[in-house]
Amino acid sequence: GSSNKYNVTIGEIKRRINPPECLNTSLLGGLLRRGKGKDGGNDLRKKMEMCGLVLPRGRRKATSVSMLTSLVESEAQDLSLQFSKICQAVFPAGELARNVAAAKEPYLQRPGLRQSEQRDIKAAMLLVGELRELLEHYIAQEESDRDTTQDVPMTGLRSFSLITHSFGVPTISGVLATLQNYLSSLLKCTSGVPVGEDGMYRTPAHGGHHSSLHSHQ
């Protein structure tokens, strides 16, 4: 078929059977796309022991099962990447910014309020940028941690990433990038200078016509 075949490493299995998920043989077998044979659990346990992984009998999952539980990490990462690309390409950040700015325009024409609005948007852009930078730093660190044999300290962000099989953090970073696009468009649209649908400023020219200038980020 057209579906991709994803490999599962020993390190990934180790991450799944340890906190925060603590998957049992049934859920782990599903993750590995194994058939439910009569001795499937024992067979899986023996093969894991050959790789140095011990899965105690009767072990129960420690977190709620979700659709992400059945995704291997490379699948989850592909899904996150594709979603983020669609957001960047298709999400109508500019259109929404123009609609919001148009609704605010009568309010912004009052003395001092346009400058105040612009300051607020710039402050929001800074906060979003700081959070996204933090997430991107974590993603880079997590990538290098995958190759280490040492135990990695458990943090709230690492727990979230493990439970979502590496889908969560890059997806939120991608959403923040989309929010940055929206705020950047909103900053232009509330500037008081007309902005066209192509993101170009419209400035009055001689003779009542308009000329176009590329907007700056």
Side-chain angles (χ1 to χ4, degrees), residues 73-84:
E73 288 173 356
S74 49
E75 274 182 301
Q77 289 167 344
D78 277 358
L79 181 62
S80 175
L81 180 62
Q82 290 181 30
F83 175 74
S84 295

Side-chain angles (χ1 to χ4, degrees), residues 157-178:
L157 206 52
R158 177 165 171 76
S159 178
F160 172 69
S161 182
L162 286 169
I163 289 171
T164 62
H165 295 197
S166 298
F167 172 84
V169 180
T171 302
I172 290 183
S173 180
V175 169
L176 291 177
T178 304

